[in-house]
């Protein structure tokens, strides 16, 4: 290596570093190899025919140097370190307001672990970044080609296939703005940071800073802000090589980094060979860490031994999503507010250096130039000069003592005091003076030529923030807002996927600015404006598909068989633009996406019957698709037949009842799947009932839901061919021991006629009379309470049972038992308590004065003239028909509605119920034949 390095411009620097290594390391061993290796890396990169431009992501110094170099060199080809499959999207940046992120998204995962889905890769772009300058130059300059050379999004996950899960951001942000990138894997374009914790801690300690962003701003951004191209390039190469040789990081990450470098150089050589472009007319923009590479494939003349694997079968979709300064800081592990400070520094660098930056024509949010944009002239071939050593002078020269910009610091001090007043702080002019002087003092204590924004932030916190924060924002946050705040980007309408544009078009009648951030109120009068029903359909589907808060109904509901007259919505589609864009990766319309998701949920391997029925209900509610509902209903029938537990019985009962009621009023004939479901469910729950009564894992509510299904579906199931004997055998085999389940069984036997109310009342009286059973009586009441689900007719009996307990139990027993009763009713019967309360309100007197003379109905003796009335007698029929005869209007209206014609017969003095049997003897004859078997 020493022989190869003779005669290079860095020979003097190499000798100085060798002497320093010998003196400080007590021998020319490891340290000498590291220091001389760094110089060799810089020399190798500088001598490469294809110019390497090292950058740091979102660095204003890199952006200024890039803009200056592009205008000087005017390359014909720009190679950019960015996923090669993202190239078609870059032209859409002109329709967006920066910052935004280029995203690759895959919802259908093939070739990767299923738990990784969905796969997402993002690459954020801001105006104060060298990458954006290169993109704007290449897209708006005729004859210039932009080539993305980094691994594809698919390879990002291919190279992580051996890991348990894909690597995501280190810090998971909790704030909404910081979570704009979601769980996507960030492509670290130009990432430059020590990967050795002790090295970073050493730099922060001796630099007297708290975070890496502050160190970089002080020791790299400010010195390189107005440096020449050769100095900037050599210093960035030096830093990249230093971090690479001192602390490359874990071996897995090093392997991926080296594979990326092999990938990029392979792609560049392929492009040069295919187009015949001269390497002198090209510019390679990459992170400084990768610019100092030592792989064999490095350079135009490197080896071609690296083999690029084919992509997987996953379907990737690409788009632009909004980004923010906070999201970028979270992705790259930067200090809060550092990207906003970088944006401020970018504006100051442009003003100081007078460099004209590149901006895409028509860029949203960019200031319009007064003069028309001139097309860059074609590059004039110039013989490249021999590289000179700029590092020695840069490393040996003391920091430039930049004069204190008092006007800027005074402006900051005045503005932060004004902002603090608006946010509730008791700040005054004296505080502004204190902040100004303290900033200068802190900069001097930290050996800085002038106060940085970080010094000003510390001074503001020290002088203004006292013991408490009066408002929502502390002083540190106010300083971040003063420096530019968390700027949030926006994807323009033309850059949205077809689904998102379709949503905006269909919601256009609402006359709202849906792309704006924040909450907007939409009022829909569906009676006077029936055309808004289409908007209502879109909003309900968005509520189902998008995160909470994107579309939130304030007034109105959507249930089976019901339609709202008016609706009120809070919409925040601009705030949740990323979620709307990612819906566009799944389909071309929200109906298609919703149908795919319902099918995916129904056919999932772990799908339950309740979940599939929920998909059926959603298909009817949002899509009004009978075809899809029937298909998913058939799937629910298949899942029910394979279930061996009763965990979802309450949800199954609730959904089946709703669907059955809806189909009975909306269709002339029930769908075949719901008839089969009732038949199969009847047999299924009859089989599981004996086990569920004794299973400790099954709750009382689940057993009650099973009974509710059996009793409510019994008539339909029997009409379809089920045998009542199944239910009788199931109850005959049920022998519960737990008190609540015993009470539930008694209630079910009352419904079946196997137990009379008198016998049930007698059993409850026996429980209250037994001192050993009294402590468990609340659990019996819990069973009776849950029995209201399958047997709601027992509501009066439950009121009677609770009343008897309060009336008969002595205070020493009742008072300790009362808290248990209340907690039992609250925890296990909250949804059934309204039925119980309504029944109690009907039974008990409405006024306190009537309570003393009130006699409970279950204790009232029958009157002397009361007698049992036969079920079918002449007198009984006459008394029941008297109401119809007195008020015939109701029957006339029903007859007219049904299309029946007829007249009222005169009331006979003694009508007989047997007249009907005499008129139609066929029914009685058929019953006799069935019973006798003749």
């Amino acid at each position: 290596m020493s022989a190869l390095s003779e005669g290079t411009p860095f020979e003097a620097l190499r000798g100085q570093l060798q002497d320093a290594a010998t003196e400080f390391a007590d021998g020319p061993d490891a340290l000498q190899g590291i220091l001389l290796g760094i110089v060799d890396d810089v020399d190798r990169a500088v001598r490469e025919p294809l110019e390497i431009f090292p950058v740091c992501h979102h660095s204003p110094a890199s952006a200024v140097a890039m803009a200056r170099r592009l205008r000087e060199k005017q390359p014909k080809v720009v190679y950019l370190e960015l996923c090669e499959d993202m190239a078609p999207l870059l032209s859409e940046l002109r329709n967006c307001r920066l910052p935004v992120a280029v995203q690759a998204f895959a919802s259908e995962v093939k070739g990767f672990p299923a738990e990784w889905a969905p796969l997402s890769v993002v690459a954020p772009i801001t105006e104060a970044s060298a990458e954006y300058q290169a993109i704007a130059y290449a897209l708006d300059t005729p004859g210039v080609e932009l080539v993305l050379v980094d691994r594809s999004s698919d390879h990002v996950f291919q190279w992580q296939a051996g890991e348990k899960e894909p690597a995501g951001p280190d810090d998971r942000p909790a704030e909404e703005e910081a979570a704009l990138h979601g769980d996507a894997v960030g492509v670290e374009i130009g990432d430059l940071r020590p990967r050795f914790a002790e090295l970073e801690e050493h730099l922060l300690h001796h630099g007297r800073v708290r975070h890496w962003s502050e160190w970089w701003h002080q020791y790299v951004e400010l010195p390189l802000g107005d440096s020449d191209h050769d100095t900037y390039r050599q210093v960035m190469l030096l830093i990249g090589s230093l971090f690479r040789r001192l602390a490359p990081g874990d071996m897995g990450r090093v392997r991926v980094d080296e594979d990326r470098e092999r990938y990029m150089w392979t792609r560049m050589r392929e492009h040069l060979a295919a187009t015949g472009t001269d390497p002198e007319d090209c510019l390679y923009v990459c992170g400084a860490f990768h610019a100092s590479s030592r792989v064999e494939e490095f350079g135009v003349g490197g080896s071609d031994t690296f083999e690029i694997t084919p992509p997987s079968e996953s379907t990737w979709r690409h788009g632009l999503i909004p980004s923010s300064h906070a999201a970028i800081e979270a992705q790259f592990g930067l200090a809060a507010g550092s990207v906003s400070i970088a944006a401020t520094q970018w504006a100051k660098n442009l003003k100081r250096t007078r460099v004209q930056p590149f901006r895409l024509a028509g860029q949203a949010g960019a200031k319009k130039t007064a003069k028309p944009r001139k097309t860059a002239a074609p590059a004039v071939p110039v013989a490249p000069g021999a590289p000179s050593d700029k590092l020695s002078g840069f490393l040996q020269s003391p920091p430039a003592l930049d004069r204190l910009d008092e006007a800027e610091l005074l402006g900051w001090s005045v503005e932060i005091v004004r902002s603090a007043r608006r946010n509730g702080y008791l700040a005054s002019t004296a505080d502004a003076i204190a902040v100004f002087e303290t900033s200068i003092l802190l900069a001097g204590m930290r050996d800085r030529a002038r106060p940085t924004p970080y010094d000003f932030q510390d001074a503001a916190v020290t002088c203004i923030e006292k013991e408490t924060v009066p408002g929502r924002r502390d002083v540190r946050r106010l300083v971040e807002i003063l420096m530019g705040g968390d700027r949030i980007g926006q994807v323009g309408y033309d850059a949205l996927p077809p689904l998102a544009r379709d949503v905006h078009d269909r919601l256009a009648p609402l006359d709202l600015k849906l792309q704006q951030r924040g909450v907007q109120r939409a009022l829909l009068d569906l009676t006077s404006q029936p055309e808004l029903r289409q908007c209502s359909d879109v909003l309900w589907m968005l509520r189902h598909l998008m995160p909470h808060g994107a579309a939130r109904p304030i007034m109105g509901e959507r249930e089976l068989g019901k339609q709202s007259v008016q609706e009120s919505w809070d919409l925040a589609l601009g705030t949740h633009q990323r979620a709307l864009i990612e819906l566009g990766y799944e389909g071309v319309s929200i109906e298609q996406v919703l149908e795919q998701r319902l099918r995916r949920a129904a056919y999932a391997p772990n799908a339950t019957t309740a979940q599939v029925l929920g998909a059926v209900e959603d298909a009817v509610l949002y899509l009004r698709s009978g075809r899809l509902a029937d298909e998913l209903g058939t799937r629910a029938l298949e899942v029910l037949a394979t279930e061996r537990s009763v965990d979802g019985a309450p949800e199954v009962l609730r959904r089946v009842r709703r669907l059955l009621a809806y189909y009975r009023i909306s269709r002339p004939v029930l769908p075949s799947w719901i008839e089969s479901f009732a038949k199969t469910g009847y047999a299924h729950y009859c089989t599981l009932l004996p086990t569920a009564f004794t299973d400790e894992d099954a709750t009382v509510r689940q057993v009650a839901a099973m009974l509710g299904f059996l009793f409510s579906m019994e008539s339909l199931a029997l009409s379809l061919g089920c045998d009542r004997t199944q239910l009788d055998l199931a109850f005959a085999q049920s022998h519960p021991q737990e008190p609540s389940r015993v009470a539930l069984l008694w209630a079910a036997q009352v419904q079946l006629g196997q137990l009379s109310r008198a016998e049930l009342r007698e059993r409850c009286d026996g429980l209250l009379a037994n001192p050993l059973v009294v402590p468990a009586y609340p659990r019996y009441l819990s069973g009776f309470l849950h029995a209201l689900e399958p047997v709601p007719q027992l509501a009066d009996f439950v009121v009677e049972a609770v009343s008897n307990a309060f009336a008969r139990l002595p205070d020493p027993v009742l008072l300790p038992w009362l808290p248990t009763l209340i907690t039992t009713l609250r925890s296990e019967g909250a949804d059934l308590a309204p039925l119980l309360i309504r029944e109690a309100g009907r039974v008990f007197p409405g006024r306190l004065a009537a309570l003393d003379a009130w006699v409970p109905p279950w204790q009232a003796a029958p009157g002397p003239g009361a007698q049992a009335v036969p079920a079918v007698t002449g007198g009984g029929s006459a008394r029941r028909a008297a109401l119809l005869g007195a008020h015939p209007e109701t029957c006339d209206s029903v007859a007219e509605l049904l299309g029946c014609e007829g007249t009222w017969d005169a009331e006979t003095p003694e009508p007989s119920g047997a007249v009907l049997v005499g008129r139609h003897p066929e029914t009685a004859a058929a019953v006799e034949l069935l019973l006798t078997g003749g």
Side-chain angles (χ1 to χ4, degrees), residues 243-261:
F243 292 164
R244 186 168 192 135
R245 288 184 175 270
L246 286 183
D250 63 274
M251 296 307 299
R253 187 171 183 181
V254 171
R255 174 183 57 80
V256 172
D257 287 333
E258 292 180 348
D259 285 345
R260 290 179 64 187
E261 293 155 8

Side-chain angles (χ1 to χ4, degrees), residues 550-864:
R552 185 167 62 93
I554 305 301
M555 181 179 66
E557 60 182 358
R558 176 154 291 198
E559 297 181 358
L560 291 175
K562 296 182 181 179
Q563 276 191 336
S564 300
V565 178
Q566 291 181 337
E567 292 180 358
S568 176
W569 291 81
D570 276 351
L571 301 180
L573 297 184
T575 304
H576 297 83
Q577 191 182 49
R578 167 180 167 265
L580 181 60
I581 291 173
E582 290 185 346
L583 285 181
Y585 301 155
E586 302 183 40
V588 296
S589 66
I590 52 178
E591 288 84 0
Q592 179 186 4
V593 174
L594 181 56
E595 182 174 343
Q596 291 176 353
R597 289 196 179 183
L598 293 179
R599 276 203 175 92
R600 193 180 305 124
Y603 287 92
N606 57 346
T608 63
T609 306
Q611 293 173 348
V612 181
L613 289 176
V616 176
E617 189 173 351
D618 292 339
V620 176
L621 277 178
Y622 303 118
L623 297 177
R624 298 186 178 93
S625 174
R627 171 191 54 81
L628 179 61
D630 293 345
E631 176 187 342
L632 299 181
T634 305
R635 171 62 180 171
L637 183 61
E638 298 173 358
V639 175
L640 177 66
T642 60
E643 285 188 343
R644 293 296 177 265
S645 66
V646 295
D647 295 342
E651 187 71 14
V652 170
L653 173 63
R654 184 163 56 251
R655 293 191 180 276
V656 166
R657 280 179 173 174
R658 284 203 297 259
L659 288 169
L660 188 60
Y662 168 75
Y663 283 126
R664 280 175 171 168
I665 63 175
S666 62
R667 288 193 182 184
V669 180
L670 290 178
S672 59
W673 75 266
I674 201 168
E675 293 182 348
S676 301
F677 191 91
K679 183 178 178 180
T680 304
Y682 186 83
H684 179 72
Y685 285 129
C686 282
T687 304
L688 296 180
L689 186 61
T691 306
F693 264 117
T694 57
D695 188 4
E696 295 181 356
D697 295 333
T699 63
V700 182
R701 183 185 178 190
Q702 293 170 353
V703 179
M706 293 176 60
L707 294 174
F709 185 94
L710 293 173
F711 292 158
S712 59
M713 298 292 170
E714 183 178 15
S715 59
L716 179 60
L718 294 180
S719 67
L720 295 174
C722 289
D723 192 354
R724 176 65 180 275
T725 310
Q726 293 179 330
L727 186 61
D728 296 335
L729 291 176
F731 275 95
Q733 297 173 359
S734 301
H735 305 288
Q737 300 294 330
E738 201 269 333
S740 59
R741 304 181 191 221
V742 171
L744 189 60
L745 178 62
W746 292 348
Q749 289 175 342
V750 172
Q751 173 70 12
L752 295 175
Q754 300 176 0
L755 189 68
S756 65
R757 285 206 173 199
E759 294 174 337
L760 182 60
R761 185 176 291 108
E762 184 178 342
R763 292 185 181 184
C764 291
D765 292 341
L767 294 176
L768 287 173
N770 189 345
L772 299 178
V773 183
V774 166
Y777 194 72
R779 297 166 67 184
Y780 284 95
L781 288 181
S782 174
F784 286 127
L785 185 64
H786 283 290
L788 296 179
E789 178 74 49
V791 193
Q793 300 86 352
L794 282 181
D796 57 340
F797 178 80
V798 177
V799 173
E800 174 186 344
V802 175
S803 301
N804 287 336
F806 277 88
R808 296 178 54 180
L809 291 178
D811 289 345
V813 177
L814 181 62
L815 293 180
W817 169 64
L818 189 57
T820 305
L821 174 65
I822 296 175
T823 55
T824 301
L825 293 175
R826 177 176 296 178
S827 61
E828 300 182 6
D831 52 343
L832 299 172
L835 178 62
L836 189 64
I837 296 173
R838 185 166 57 250
E839 183 64 24
R842 187 187 66 83
V843 173
F844 287 94
R847 297 182 178 276
L848 184 62
L851 186 62
D852 294 336
W854 176 73
V855 177
W858 54 86
Q859 293 182 0

Side-chain angles (χ1 to χ4, degrees), residues 261-270 297 306 308:
E261 293 155 8
R262 296 185 180 99
Y263 194 105
M264 289 187 285
W265 280 110
T266 301
R267 289 302 193 199
M268 283 186 284
R269 283 194 298 271
E270 290 177 353
E297 291 80 4
F306 183 71
I308 299 177

